[in-house]
Amino acid sequence: MRSDMAYILLGRDEIQRKVAELGEKITQEYRGKNPLMVCVLKGSIVFFADLIRSIDTPVEVETMTASSYGAATVSSGVVSVVSKLDEKIRGRDVILVEDIIDSGRTIAFIKADMLQKGVNSLKVCSLLDKPSRRVADIKPDYLGFEVPDEFVVGYGLDYDQKYRNFPDIGVLKPEIYTH
Ligand code: IMP
Ligand code: MG
């Protein structure tokens, strides 16, 4: 997989240090609150697994699906949310965990939906942020790294369902996705 990358943007050690930092922040702010951490599938699974283990206070976990991409590197703008969390989030302190905020449409849509369903509080924790492409007015409450306007893969992020298991975050060579 390494040979498909033009370069590595974030190495695994740098990612782990940041995840530990985020975990400490969440630990301090949510101690005794038993927050419900929601993994937005599938891109967040690797980040989510590391993040929850860096939090040193009890949390509960749930998963949900949201997709807007297909086999493209530009968001289609159509967000379909498949969430069966309606009852489970009522009254809870929810932390939504995302891999990357790009246009912001996905997270804006999920947030609006969850707020309507009566959460006690709602925060967004995203590993990556690509603010240059923002369409929806949204900012993560907890952020790992700001990234340039490049399509990135690895550490859970995919291109056409591939590279999720690549341990670093890299930028694909253009010829991998432009043919
Ligand atoms: P948004 O709705 O445009 O903010 O898109 C967010 C979703 O698009 C993320 O959760 C990712 O699944 C996907 N995405 C956006 N940018 C990238 C990228 O650079 N690499 C891989 N997936 C991405
Ligand atoms: Mg995603």
Side-chain angles (χ1 to χ4, degrees):
M1 287 186 286
R2 177 64 183 88
S3 58
D4 290 352
M5 311 283 164
Y7 61 94
I8 300 298
L9 184 65
L10 297 163
R12 61 199 80 178
D13 295 342
E14 192 179 353
I15 297 171
Q16 286 314 318
R17 280 194 297 274
K18 187 63 79 174
V19 171
E21 247 176 59
L22 290 171
E24 273 171 39
K25 266 193 211 161
I26 293 174
T27 302
Q28 282 166 16
E29 291 175 30
Y30 284 86
R31 203 181 292 285
K33 289 190 174 164
N34 192 30
L36 182 64
M37 303 203 50
V38 177
C39 176
V40 183
L41 297 173
K42 299 176 224 175
S44 302
I45 52 170
V46 180
F47 174 45
F48 190 83
D50 284 342
L51 181 65
I52 59 173
R53 286 178 295 172
S54 73
I55 297 173
D56 187 21
T57 189
V59 303
E60 290 181 29
V61 302
E62 283 292 348
T63 59
M64 69 179 292
T65 304
S67 77
S68 66
Y69 260 55
T73 57
V74 177
S75 176
S76 63
V78 181
V79 182
S80 64
V81 172
V82 186
S83 165
K84 307 234 161 50
L85 297 179
D86 298 20
E87 281 310 312
K88 290 175 178 160
I89 61 176
R90 198 181 305 280
R92 298 299 303 268
D93 294 305
V94 174
I95 305 173
L96 268 173
V97 181
E98 254 289 22
D99 51 356
I100 185 166
I101 304 181
D102 185 20
S103 73
R105 286 190 180 103
T106 305
I107 212 71
F109 189 95
I110 298 172
K111 245 184 123 170
D113 184 59
M114 284 191 165
L115 285 171
Q116 238 188 8
K117 283 167 183 154
V119 292
N120 185 56
S121 70
L122 182 56
K123 287 200 174 175
V124 175
C125 177
S126 186
L127 177 66
L128 306 176
D129 188 12
K130 240 190 238 178
S132 51
R133 291 170 38 91
R134 197 58 39 82
V135 174
D137 179 23
I138 201 116
K139 260 199 286 184
D141 301 285
Y142 302 98
L143 173 66
F145 306 93
E146 229 178 66
V147 296
D149 185 10
E150 298 274 12
F151 195 77
V152 295
V153 298
Y155 197 69
L157 291 108
D158 72 307
Y159 167 62
D160 201 12
Q161 299 304 325
K162 295 186 206 67
Y163 307 104
R164 293 195 195 277
N165 57 321
F166 187 66
D168 309 303
I169 294 176
V171 174
L172 283 175
K173 290 176 178 162
E175 62 262 34
I176 302 294
Y177 56 86
T178 52
H179 53 69

